[in-house]
Amino acid sequence: MKEEAIANFAQSLRGPVSGRGHPEYDEARKVYNAMINKRPHLIARCADAADVMAAVNFARDNKLPIAVRGGGHNGPGLGSVDDGLVIDLSMMKGVRVDPTTKTVRVGGGCLTGDVDHATHAFGLAVPFGVISTTGVAGLTLSGGHGYLSRQYGLAIDNLIEADVVLADGSFVTASKATNQDLFWALRGGGGNFGVVTSFLFQAHPAGMVYGGPIIWELKDAATIMRWYREFSASAPNDAFSVFLGLQTVPPGDPFPKEHWAKKMCALVVCHNGTQAEGEKAVNAVRSALPPPIIDWAGPMPYPVLQTLFDGLLPKGLQWYWKGDFMNTLPDAAIEAHVANAAKLPTLLSGMHIYPIDGAVQRQKRDATAWGYRDAAWSMVIFGVDPDPAKAPALKTWAREYWEAVHPFNFAGAYANFMMDDEGESRVKAAYGENYDRLATLKKKYDPMNLFRVNQNIRPAP
Ligand SMILES: Cc1cc2nc3c(=O)[nH]c(=O)nc-3n(C[C@H](O)[C@H](O)[C@H](O)COP(=O)(O)OP(=O)(O)OC[C@H]3O[C@@H](n4cnc5c(N)ncnc54)[C@H](O)[C@@H]3O)c2cc1C
């Protein structure tokens, strides 16, 4: 590409553009997962929607592949691309809460923690994920589940409107009132349809919660998992969410030294209601189960729960993921989970089962592009370590674990819990029965598949 064309492009933006050789290039190309080492041709850090429109037009006209980056947290690093243009929205972090309508306007580059911080001042929150350094955009566009999902639904269920730059460079707003088909597709179809520069969300009451981890040794895991299965099936109070993890007690403060590096089964609870109701709900869990080795559940501000595990998972670790949607947890599956958790390859690796019933299941199956309103849980197996030399071991363990439990699960996984090596059939399975409608809309909004660095939906023929 001609230097002059690049210079003209850079000149036309408010935000900086870095190419290879630029002093900030190596820092700017890093994503959260250090296993990803892509070398884009250019990285455009956009300051506003005008920059995004210019970037989309420039990439399309110069036949550069595009990657769109919100928070850069995506497992397979789909916020970057070799030899293409990264449209990085990380400078677009405006958040404006309207306490009257209980809505929040969120810039396309915000992290979930940016929004939690702003809404908490008004006693409000939007249901996002459980680590606050995750990007709102990537999380929301593929669904977005977290502690408040049983009560208030997925992030997409609370999306009111989105501003989008389409493949032809035009700017549109999608909502229930305008561009309804695009609005449907954005709510679960990932980054396939355009670049979202701004989101408008409905927020809900969430101030103090009764939450935190309760931890048992792995020898109790089968008991805890069987209890968890019955507890979930009895559909308790939607204000109460419990996710289950098989992991290792981190060997460091504030964890008690006698438990360092022990393999564990954890329940991470969150009750969003009064303190008395929260205590009652968590006490019922405590009294149903053997005595834990650590019990840190208690009252805390919602953003504290949201940031509780951030410190354990800084940017720059090696990550390999595999997921599945689930509806059953038979004894044979529990046995396979416990056997594979006993072989965790590193201290940070593990498996989580997140509840997605309650309000998530009450949405109509065809209300949004999210294809699994009948799943009770979203599971993820994650191999994680700081050492790049461990990457092969992380992959082998996660794949073997997944092979052992997948027969008990749905065919598809949450698109945000997949790498990019699973093949088209798994991508189709992730979108479930909405795939064909999504492919038709892809043909309408992005017929040349300009936005293809994602869990890609090919335009219908
Ligand atoms: C430690 C950790 C914990 C997690 N916990 C949860 C959880 O509790 N719940 C949950 O639901 N998910 C969770 N996730 C998964 C997370 O939702 C995905 O990794 C998601 O892709 C991150 O979004 P991002 O904006 O940071 O990603 P990026 O890497 O920036 O982008 C990923 C993809 O999203 C699309 N995209 C990003 N921004 C835009 C935009 N503005 N417009 C259009 N498309 C865009 C693009 O297709 C891009 O390829 C977790 C991830 C990690 C690493």
Side-chain angles (χ1 to χ4, degrees):
M1 194 183 314
K2 293 216 171 80
E3 288 301 317
E4 195 189 341
I6 295 173
N8 286 343
F9 168 58
Q11 195 89 46
S12 71
L13 299 197
R14 280 270 154 145
V17 175
S18 24
R20 293 173 188 160
H22 188 283
E24 285 170 15
Y25 174 80
D26 273 325
E27 200 48 44
R29 78 186 177 89
K30 280 185 191 156
V31 290
Y32 181 78
N33 182 359
M35 205 181 273
I36 311 298
N37 183 25
K38 295 184 186 172
R39 295 184 62 80
H41 195 69
L42 294 169
I43 301 165
R45 274 173 286 167
C46 296
D48 55 21
D51 279 4
V52 175
M53 291 159 80
V56 168
N57 288 332
F58 176 79
R60 189 193 56 246
D61 295 347
N62 289 283
K63 300 196 169 28
L64 282 177
I66 292 177
V68 184
R69 187 181 305 170
H73 244 235
N74 185 266
L78 296 173
S80 190
V81 58
D82 277 322
D83 303 319
L85 173 70
V86 174
I87 299 181
D88 178 346
L89 277 75
S90 60
M91 287 172 63
M92 295 172 62
K93 281 199 194 291
V95 184
R96 180 181 184 274
V97 182
D98 180 339
T100 313
T101 57
K102 297 189 171 49
T103 57
V104 53
R105 170 74 61 189
V106 176
C110 280
L111 307 182
T112 62
D114 299 326
V115 185
D116 289 339
H117 175 79
T119 51
H120 186 65
F122 301 92
L124 299 170
V126 177
F128 292 135
V130 302
I131 296 285
S132 84
T133 53
T134 309
V136 168
L139 175 133
T140 299
L141 294 170
S142 286
H145 56 65
Y147 294 115
L148 300 179
S149 292
R150 297 196 71 248
Q151 194 172 17
Y152 300 133
L154 300 169
I156 47 169
D157 299 334
N158 295 283
L159 185 63
I160 298 171
E161 146 184 321
D163 290 343
V164 192
V165 177
L166 298 175
D168 63 3
S170 63
F171 176 93
V172 297
T173 296
S175 70
K176 278 195 176 140
T178 173
N179 297 304
Q180 293 97 334
D181 57 355
L182 177 62
F183 186 54
W184 179 87
L186 289 175
R187 288 175 294 158
N192 275 283
F193 297 91
V195 186
V196 177
T197 55
S198 162
F199 299 85
L200 181 67
F201 289 103
Q202 186 66 56
H204 301 273
M208 291 293 286
V209 296
Y210 196 99
I214 308 177
I215 296 173
W216 292 263
E217 289 188 35
L218 194 65
K219 69 178 171 51
D220 290 323
T223 308
I224 311 295
M225 292 183 88
R226 282 194 295 270
W227 169 86
Y228 187 66
R229 172 180 69 198
E230 307 311 324
F231 164 82
S232 304
S234 65
N237 164 12
D238 287 351
F240 192 32
S241 174
V242 181
F243 85 75
L244 183 144
L246 299 178
Q247 284 175 262
T248 305
V249 178
D253 286 339
F255 295 90
K257 204 162 188 174
E258 67 271 26
H259 299 311
W260 283 7
K262 278 186 186 166
K263 298 207 168 54
M264 67 174 182
C265 176
L267 295 177
V268 183
V269 302
C270 173
H271 184 282
N272 180 33
T274 66
Q275 192 181 323
E277 288 163 350
E279 196 162 7
K280 194 172 160 209
V282 178
N283 280 345
V285 177
R286 290 175 171 130
S287 60
L289 292 170
I293 55 171
I294 295 170
D295 182 346
W296 284 338
M300 61 181 78
Y302 176 69
V304 171
L305 182 61
Q306 286 290 86
T307 52
L308 214 53
F309 307 114
D310 287 4
L312 290 172
L313 300 169
K315 183 174 176 176
L317 303 173
Q318 306 281 311
W319 282 78
Y320 187 82
W321 314 64
K322 273 184 98 71
D324 268 340
F325 287 117
M326 305 164 55
N327 226 353
T328 55
L329 194 50
D331 287 350
I334 291 176
E335 214 174 285
H337 277 288
V338 177
N340 283 280
K343 296 187 273 188
L344 289 169
T346 58
L347 291 169
L348 289 171
S349 299
M351 186 284 302
H352 284 173
I353 296 177
Y354 298 104
I356 46 168
D357 54 342
V360 180
Q361 291 187 337
R362 284 196 293 277
Q363 284 284 335
K364 286 214 179 94
R365 210 172 237 280
D366 61 354
T368 68
W370 170 271
Y372 283 86
R373 293 289 173 185
D374 48 350
W377 299 290
S378 171
M379 179 208 66
V380 63
I381 297 161
F382 46 95
V384 184
D385 197 73
D387 182 1
K390 297 260 176 66
L394 302 177
K395 291 182 187 177
T396 304
W397 169 80
R399 287 173 182 154
E400 287 177 3
Y401 188 153
W402 182 85
E403 293 288 345
V405 297
H406 181 64
F408 303 100
N409 302 335
F410 282 104
Y414 178 31
N416 270 336
F417 287 164
M418 287 167 62
M419 297 300 282
D420 56 0
D421 57 358
E422 301 214 32
E424 201 183 355
S425 64
R426 271 281 279 179
V427 174
K428 283 187 171 167
Y431 298 113
E433 60 191 41
N434 289 324
Y435 188 86
D436 290 345
R437 186 169 168 195
L438 283 164
T440 304
L441 289 168
K442 177 79 172 172
K443 185 178 173 189
K444 175 175 173 186
Y445 285 101
D446 183 15
M448 304 307 289
N449 205 3
L450 188 69
F451 301 113
R452 60 182 177 275
V453 182
N454 43 42
Q455 298 299 351
N456 194 231
I457 297 161
R458 301 215 178 140

